[in-house]
Amino acid sequence: MAKMEHTFIAIKPDGIQRGLVGDTIKHFEQKGFRLVAMKFLRASEELLKQHYIDLKDRLFYPGLVKYMNSGPVVAMVWEGPTVVKTVRTMLGESNPADSQPGTTRRDFCIQVGRNIIHGSDSVKSAGREIGLWFESEELVDYKSCAFDWIYE
Ligand code: DAT
Ligand code: MG
């Protein structure tokens, strides 16, 4: 059995406003990943600045924080083997125009600054981001009844 990983995924304010919550979550459910934690909130500027701290010197950083704070987001933790890398592949490139057909960002959005969804880019950043957005007791430990049909 492959080692399980966790990744942090957030549906951004444009994804909420455009009614894409169900479709994006469905993609991960159908893949077979396990939902570990989820909440609906309007994230504070402080949290968003920390979340995107690696980009603090980029010109688009203030606009990025403002956009992410402009409405509610759905913050989630998903689990699976190599879930971090697989989710990045499922989401597509940062810029929807560079993404392959079948990826979320290619199929559901147009511009890099309105790309509807976030996914951690490494196991290390997933750990950091999950720690920012969730308390450890908010991560729910349960066995999916589909587990033995997804894994051999
Ligand atoms: P990703 O979200 O694919 O990990 P990133 O971490 O490089 O991409 O950047 C975070 C977000 O910032 C990205 O989802 C959209 C926004 N962004 C990135 N590059 C941008 C740019 N050149 N102009 C505007 N927004 C940008
Ligand atoms: Mg990133």
Side-chain angles (χ1 to χ4, degrees), residues 52-107:
Y52 282 124
I53 196 72
D54 292 351
L55 300 170
K56 68 178 186 331
D57 297 328
R58 304 296 295 270
L59 282 177
F60 60 81
Y61 179 71
L64 174 62
V65 170
K66 194 171 168 209
Y67 146 64
M68 289 293 290
N69 171 249
S70 67
V73 300
V74 174
M76 298 172 280
V77 178
W78 286 82
E79 179 185 85
T82 65
V83 68
V84 174
K85 185 163 181 276
T86 305
V87 164
R88 290 286 290 190
T89 308
M90 291 167 75
L91 298 190
E93 302 300 320
S94 308
N95 188 342
D98 298 332
S99 303
Q100 293 296 314
T103 60
T104 309
R105 286 167 170 174
R106 170 68 175 256
D107 291 354

Side-chain angles (χ1 to χ4, degrees), residues 115-131:
N115 65 5
I116 75 162
I117 191 160
H118 166 84
S120 308
D121 64 9
S122 67
V123 173
K124 192 172 166 220
S125 24
R128 188 185 75 84
E129 292 168 3
I130 291 166

